[in-house]
Amino acid sequence: STDGGRNLSLDSIPMGLPMSDPTAWATAMNNLGMAPMGMTGQPLLPDFDPALGMMTGIPPINPMMPGLGIVPPPIPPDMPAVKEIIHCKSCTLFPPNPHLPPPATRERPPGCKTVFVGGLPENGTEQIIMEVFEQCGEVIAIRKSKKNFCHIRFAEEFMVDKALYLSGYRIRLGSSTDKKDTGRLHVDFAQARDDLYEWECKQRMLAREERHRRRLAEERFRPPSPPPVVHYSDHECSVVAEKLKDDTKFSEAIQTLLTWIERGEVNRRTANNFYSMIQSANSHIRRLVNEKAAHEKEMEEAKEKFKLALSGILVQFEQIVAVYHSASKQKAWDHFTKAQRKNISVWCKQAEEIRNIHNDELMGIRREEEMEMSDEEIEDPSEMKETEESALVSQVEALKEENDSLRWQLDAYRNEVELLKQEQGKATRDEDTTKEQQMKLLQQALQGMQKHLLKVQEEYKKREAELEKVKEDKLKIETLLENLKEQESSTSRVCACSQEKECPVEKTLSNSPVRSEREVLLVGIISTFLHVHPFGASIEYICSYLQRLDSKICTAEVEVLMTRLQNTFRQELSGVGASLEKRWKFCGFDGLKMT
């Protein structure tokens, strides 16, 4: 094919065909909406669900759907698969022998949308190939070779499986039996660079979507960043000092104070301000201790309330269990039915389990209280001294930890500076690579625009040729119209003359008893009929004969016509008594003498 828009970039043509792959055959049958089975009728996938497709995103296809004449109806599992004859406009496809194994195919390339079609007739044209394979789906391009094979690229992957269904069919062009008009089709997967490129683009797009989805999930679970802390100034320092005195804004102000100290804002000029803020922060310790004591008191009261409520609940549970036990005794148990006894026993077990759980919980609370009391009794004044010494030791350790933390901060700052230098070097490299990629993309876009311009120019030339043809046709039509007008004028003159001639004839006919050509024919037929019947015939007999010729004739019309022609027909009475009847006779010979 010389059409540039249909050229395909194919890597290779399948010369050697391996043995058939049953999974590929099953995929093809599945995409046709049928249960996957071999040519012998045995199902290839026993757990096949026809509502599900093996290829995602492809709806199941109904074989009886209009436009899919190549797809046979579903085959029952107890019958072998039989392909049918396919009739096209300019060719006919005959199915292969059903007892032969399915045609061999190569391994399916990823994202395959192109098929290799071999065994074409020598006289086969690209139009015939399009007519046969466009039933499988939208054909994007056809690349035909001079050696009786071609490559066809479809719009979607599932259309390839439909095309593979035609493998093994014998094709015949029209009704010819010449070898150049016949062939056996062999359809197989073909490896095309365009298909592989589209598949890789699709995989990259899916990978990008997955990365974006993971990033969104990570950001959703990431804790929110703290609000930014303002820089130190005298005004901000006075604002923070006022906030430190307020109990509601203390947490926000103490965070700002901590950040300023860590940043190194403390110097000789600001030392007094920071000391006053630290002193106001220290004044909150007593408040916090009092709040903690109040909360502990509330917790103790809540524990007492919980213990009292739990003990009351346990008492009620004991009463319910006692009721169940008393109902299980012999005096009351015999009067209940089997179903009632079963329900009572089940309820009793459930109540005992819940009672035991609550009892264990109450005992655990009491044990904790006893352990706390024993710990308080063991404490001595000697331990108070030990606690003071341990507090001093802890202060020394805290100072050491602060010293170590400052050293670690210095190391961290050094590492950050080195990382910033490395990141700047990487950024320059990334910019170079991005520029190269942009140049490549621009080159590809320019090539695409050039191809598009060439196509537009070809279409413009074709349309100019079509316009010239239309103009020529218009001139021809105008000349024909002029000739027709002249012919109409001549025929109108002839008709006028003929009408003038026919006028006296019509006048004579209007005066005669016979008013139309139809009545003339009726008179002739009736005369012939009565001439054969010399003794006459009734009006019903005459009309029955005439109605065989024309069913629309009625007796009243015939009788009126015959009464008008008195010199041609005469009515007589014949018979005696009950057999008396009226008969019409032909008297044209006598009437001729009289007229």
Side-chain angles (χ1 to χ4, degrees):
S1 174
T2 58
D3 190 359
R6 292 189 173 179
N7 286 338
L8 295 173
S9 54
L10 300 173
D11 286 341
S12 62
I13 299 167
M15 299 299 290
L17 297 172
M19 295 300 290
S20 63
D21 186 2
T23 58
W25 185 253
T27 305
M29 299 294 285
N30 182 20
N31 288 322
L32 291 173
M34 297 182 291
M37 59 180 64
M39 296 302 291
T40 58
Q42 298 296 327
L44 296 174
L45 297 174
D47 297 329
F48 173 78
D49 185 5
L52 302 174
M54 293 180 70
M55 296 180 67
T56 58
I58 302 170
I61 300 168
N62 184 4
M64 303 304 291
M65 192 182 296
L68 296 176
I70 65 166
V71 182
I75 303 166
D78 56 344
M79 290 179 64
V82 179
K83 295 184 178 180
E84 297 179 354
I85 298 173
I86 301 167
H87 297 282
C88 300
K89 289 182 181 178
S90 56
C91 64
T92 309
L93 300 176
F94 297 92
N97 189 353
H99 300 291
L100 293 175
T105 56
R106 62 182 292 176
E107 186 179 356
R108 183 174 189 141
C112 181
K113 295 182 184 177
T114 308
V115 294
F116 164 83
V117 182
L120 294 170
E122 290 185 15
N123 295 334
T125 61
E126 190 174 325
Q127 185 178 2
I128 294 170
I129 297 168
M130 177 68 77
E131 181 183 347
V132 173
F133 284 93
E134 70 181 357
Q135 302 180 64
C136 303
E138 183 184 354
V139 176
I140 293 177
I142 297 176
R143 181 183 176 184
K144 189 175 181 301
S145 176
K146 296 179 181 178
K147 296 182 180 180
N148 303 334
F149 70 87
C150 70
H151 291 86
I152 303 173
R153 188 161 189 255
F154 292 96
E156 298 294 336
E157 292 183 22
F158 69 92
M159 299 174 184
V160 173
D161 301 310
K162 286 188 178 183
L164 287 173
Y165 181 81
L166 296 176
S167 187
Y169 269 77
R170 288 181 291 107
I171 184 170
R172 187 176 70 188
L173 306 182
S175 59
S176 175
T177 57
D178 192 6
K179 286 186 177 181
K180 294 184 178 180
D181 295 333
T182 59
R184 185 180 293 276
L185 297 179
H186 175 74
V187 186
D188 198 356
F189 300 111
Q191 191 170 2
R193 286 194 294 271
D194 295 340
D195 297 344
L196 184 61
Y197 176 74
E198 289 181 3
W199 181 78
E200 288 175 352
C201 291
K202 188 176 180 181
Q203 295 299 316
R204 285 195 292 270
M205 182 185 70
L206 293 173
R208 284 196 299 271
E209 290 178 357
E210 183 63 23
R211 287 196 299 271
H212 181 65
R213 199 179 296 112
R214 288 180 182 174
R215 196 178 299 115
L216 289 177
E218 289 173 1
E219 289 176 358
R220 195 182 298 116
F221 293 110
R222 188 181 298 163
S225 58
V229 179
V230 295
H231 293 282
Y232 177 81
S233 65
D234 294 336
H235 173 69
E236 293 295 337
C237 179
S238 61
V239 171
V240 171
E242 291 296 328
K243 287 182 179 179
L244 284 170
K245 294 174 184 177
D246 191 357
D247 296 344
T248 57
K249 299 178 180 178
F250 174 73
S251 58
E252 180 184 354
I254 198 71
Q255 185 66 34
T256 307
L257 178 60
L258 177 63
T259 306
W260 285 348
I261 294 170
E262 288 180 350
R263 285 179 182 173
E265 300 288 347
V266 182
N267 50 34
R268 287 184 180 180
R269 186 177 64 82
T270 60
N272 293 328
N273 294 332
F274 275 98
Y275 179 77
S276 62
M277 288 189 287
I278 292 168
Q279 190 176 6
S280 60
N282 185 50
S283 64
H284 284 273
I285 292 174
R286 186 177 297 173
R287 177 182 64 82
L288 296 173
V289 170
N290 293 332
E291 286 182 2
K292 182 188 174 186
H295 287 306
E296 286 179 349
K297 187 177 179 182
E298 289 177 0
M299 187 176 69
E300 292 295 330
E301 291 176 356
K303 280 184 179 180
E304 289 295 328
K305 287 181 181 179
F306 178 69
K307 278 197 299 182
L308 290 172
L310 193 58
S311 60
I313 290 167
L314 282 171
V315 170
Q316 292 177 11
F317 269 115
E318 290 291 344
Q319 291 173 355
I320 293 168
V321 172
V323 169
Y324 288 141
H325 284 303
S326 61
S328 300
K329 290 181 181 178
Q330 193 70 27
K331 292 179 182 179
W333 191 254
D334 294 338
H335 299 286
F336 295 119
T337 61
K338 287 185 178 179
Q340 291 171 347
R341 291 175 188 173
K342 185 178 180 181
N343 290 335
I344 289 168
S345 60
V346 170
W347 294 338
C348 183
K349 288 179 182 178
Q350 290 177 354
E352 286 178 350
E353 288 176 359
I354 297 169
R355 181 198 62 184
N356 294 333
I357 291 167
H358 285 79
N359 197 6
D360 294 340
E361 190 174 355
L362 184 60
M363 293 299 292
I365 293 168
R366 288 175 180 172
R367 285 196 204 96
E368 287 177 0
E369 289 179 352
E370 290 175 358
M371 292 290 290
E372 288 175 0
M373 293 293 291
S374 63
D375 290 338
E376 289 175 0
E377 290 174 357
I378 293 168
E379 288 181 356
D380 291 328
S382 60
E383 291 182 357
M384 294 296 288
K385 295 178 181 180
E386 291 177 358
T387 53
E388 290 177 359
E389 293 176 357
S390 63
L392 293 172
V393 173
S394 62
Q395 288 178 1
V396 173
E397 290 178 354
L399 290 171
K400 287 181 180 179
E401 288 177 358
E402 286 180 3
N403 192 12
D404 293 336
S405 65
L406 290 171
R407 288 178 185 173
W408 294 335
Q409 285 178 4
L410 285 171
D411 294 336
Y413 288 144
R414 289 172 185 168
N415 293 330
E416 285 179 1
V417 171
E418 291 178 358
L419 288 171
L420 286 171
K421 290 179 180 178
Q422 291 176 1
E423 285 177 358
Q424 287 177 357
K426 288 181 180 178
T428 54
R429 293 173 189 169
D430 294 337
E431 286 177 359
D432 296 336
T433 54
T434 52
K435 285 179 181 178
E436 290 178 359
Q437 290 176 357
Q438 288 176 358
M439 289 292 291
K440 288 180 181 178
L441 291 171
L442 289 171
Q443 288 175 359
Q444 291 176 359
L446 286 171
Q447 290 176 0
M449 290 292 290
Q450 288 174 357
K451 290 180 181 178
H452 184 66
L453 285 170
L454 291 172
K455 287 181 182 179
V456 169
Q457 288 176 357
E458 290 178 358
E459 289 180 359
Y460 181 71
K461 290 178 182 177
K462 288 180 182 178
R463 289 185 180 178
E464 282 184 346
E466 289 176 359
L467 282 172
E468 291 177 357
K469 288 181 181 178
V470 169
K471 288 179 181 177
E472 291 176 359
D473 294 339
K474 189 177 179 181
L475 291 171
K476 290 179 181 178
I477 290 165
E478 287 177 354
T479 54
L480 287 171
L481 284 171
E482 290 176 357
N483 294 331
L484 286 171
K485 286 179 182 177
E486 292 176 357
Q487 289 177 3
E488 284 179 359
S489 62
S490 62
T491 51
S492 63
R493 292 171 188 170
V494 173
C495 289
C497 296
S498 63
Q499 284 177 0
E500 291 176 358
K501 292 177 182 178
E502 287 175 358
C503 284
V505 176
E506 289 179 356
K507 289 177 182 178
T508 56
L509 285 172
S510 62
N511 296 326
S512 67
V514 181
R515 296 173 184 175
S516 64
E517 187 178 358
R518 186 170 181 273
E519 290 185 353
V520 172
L521 290 171
L522 286 172
V523 169
I525 294 166
I526 294 167
S527 302
T528 307
F529 181 77
L530 292 176
H531 185 68
V532 177
H533 296 79
F535 297 105
S538 64
I539 190 69
E540 289 83 4
Y541 186 29
I542 294 168
C543 288
S544 65
Y545 175 73
L546 292 173
Q547 284 175 354
R548 291 181 185 176
L549 303 175
D550 187 3
S551 60
K552 296 179 181 178
I553 296 171
C554 60
T555 55
E557 181 185 358
V558 176
E559 193 170 3
V560 168
L561 179 63
M562 293 174 75
T563 52
R564 273 188 292 170
L565 299 171
Q566 295 178 358
N567 294 327
T568 308
F569 304 107
R570 185 174 67 251
Q571 190 178 18
E572 294 180 353
L573 296 173
S574 64
V576 179
S579 62
L580 187 67
E581 63 176 350
K582 294 179 181 180
R583 292 196 176 193
W584 289 87
K585 289 185 179 181
F586 178 72
C587 60
F589 297 112
D590 299 333
L592 185 63
K593 295 175 183 179
M594 293 172 68
T595 57

